[in-house]
Each structure stands twice: as C-alpha cells, then as structure tokens.
Amino acid sequence: MNAELQQEYRIRYGGEDTTPIDPTQFDAPRGLFVVGYVDGAAVGCGGWRARDGGEDPELRSGDAEIKRMYVAAAHRGRGYARAILAELERTAAAAGRQRAVLESGTHQPESVALYRSSGYEPIPAFGRYRDSPNSLFFGKPLAVPSGRATRAPRTGDRASTTTER
C-alpha cells in the first residue's frame, strides 16, 4: 500500500513524500498502523504516531500525527478512508493522545475534504513540509467517548481493521 501511496504522490506532486518514518514509531502504545481489508484484500491504510511538545515548536504534548492515509483508487468513495480515520482517532484518544494533527496537500482535494468534514481545522505549519506552498496543516481535539470503556492499544495488538461492505 505504501508503494501505491508514493506513486500517487509522484503523480500529484512530482516526487515521493520524504518525511522520515521509522516503522517502530507506530508501535503501541505510542502509535498504531491499521490496514482495512475487503474480501481479504487490503484496500486502505493509515497510522498515527505520538508527537510531543519539544520535537517541533508547533506540536503539543499529547499530539498524535496522522500519517500514510491511503485508499486504493478502485475502492475510493465507499467510506473506507473515513472508517480508517475514525479508528485512528479512537485509538489515539484511548492511548491518551489529546489532539490529532496532520499535513495534507493542495493537490489532494479529496483528503482535504475528508479532514474538514471530519472536524479538522487549520493549524500552524509543522514538520518537514512547514515551508511548502503545497502543504496544508490540520488539527482536531480528541476526547475519549464518555460512557464507553476504551483501552489504549497494547504491544502485540493486531494492527489491522476489517471492513466488510
């Protein structure tokens, strides 16, 4: 899925996303990566990683950065990205993260529409693309749902979701 995502960036921006990412940044309890499946085939993915104050002046202690959100072209428009995003927000909140933050791009209107319709609002630029004219930055407060027991992901948790439609 990551190779498909990088190809999408090459088409839309002329190059790959060069943000350094270590897969261990998505290990519980300070992160999670999910893959959505339909009939046994991966159709989408996304992850969150803990980002705390001090790493970047615009980030706060308790932030969860959403990364590598992607849905395969043949499966777009069916709500998979929204389901993956909701799961990332739920698990980040359960892990004690207080705000979801992300960077998207001006050549990704579908992503920007998803984030805005999901309650994300513009925030100051951060990270590798802070000075890029093609980058947009969004944030959303996270809250553990009241009245429902939730738990943070633990090391060894299955890092995938299954979506049947």
Side-chain angles (χ1 to χ4, degrees):
M1 299 236 60
N2 190 54
E4 289 179 34
L5 173 59
Q6 293 296 350
Q7 177 61 24
E8 190 81 23
Y9 291 146
R10 284 190 292 279
I11 292 167
R12 293 184 186 218
Y13 297 99
E16 295 187 0
D17 179 356
T18 59
T19 303
I21 292 186
D22 177 346
T24 63
Q25 293 174 324
F26 298 94
D27 288 348
R30 294 189 48 83
L32 183 71
F33 197 85
V34 298
V35 177
Y37 294 89
V38 173
D39 298 328
V43 299
C45 63
W48 67 266
R49 62 183 179 174
R51 297 292 303 265
D52 290 309
E55 298 173 17
D56 189 296
E58 300 303 336
L59 297 175
R60 302 177 192 160
S61 182
D63 281 351
E65 183 182 16
I66 305 293
K67 293 297 296 176
R68 300 297 194 251
M69 283 283 300
Y70 177 73
V71 172
H75 298 280
R76 293 181 186 155
R78 299 179 188 172
Y80 298 134
R82 192 169 302 280
I84 290 168
L85 183 60
E87 179 64 4
L88 296 176
E89 291 172 354
R90 185 193 70 75
T91 57
R97 299 281 108 190
Q98 300 165 1
R99 180 176 74 151
V101 298
L102 60 90
E103 180 266 336
S104 191
T106 57
H107 299 292
Q108 296 168 259
E110 313 91 332
S111 298
V112 172
L114 167 69
Y115 299 133
R116 288 184 186 214
S117 70
S118 297
Y120 285 77
E121 296 184 357
I123 62 170
F126 65 91
R128 183 176 207 88
Y129 296 108
R130 78 172 62 248
D131 296 321
S132 172
N134 293 322
S135 289
L136 302 168
F137 301 86
F138 297 97
K140 176 183 176 178
L142 298 175
V144 176
S146 61
R148 291 197 312 198
T150 2
R151 69 168 177 80
R154 298 180 307 233
T155 301
D157 277 359
R158 185 170 174 224
S160 66
T161 60
T162 301
T163 306
E164 299 296 334
R165 286 198 118 139

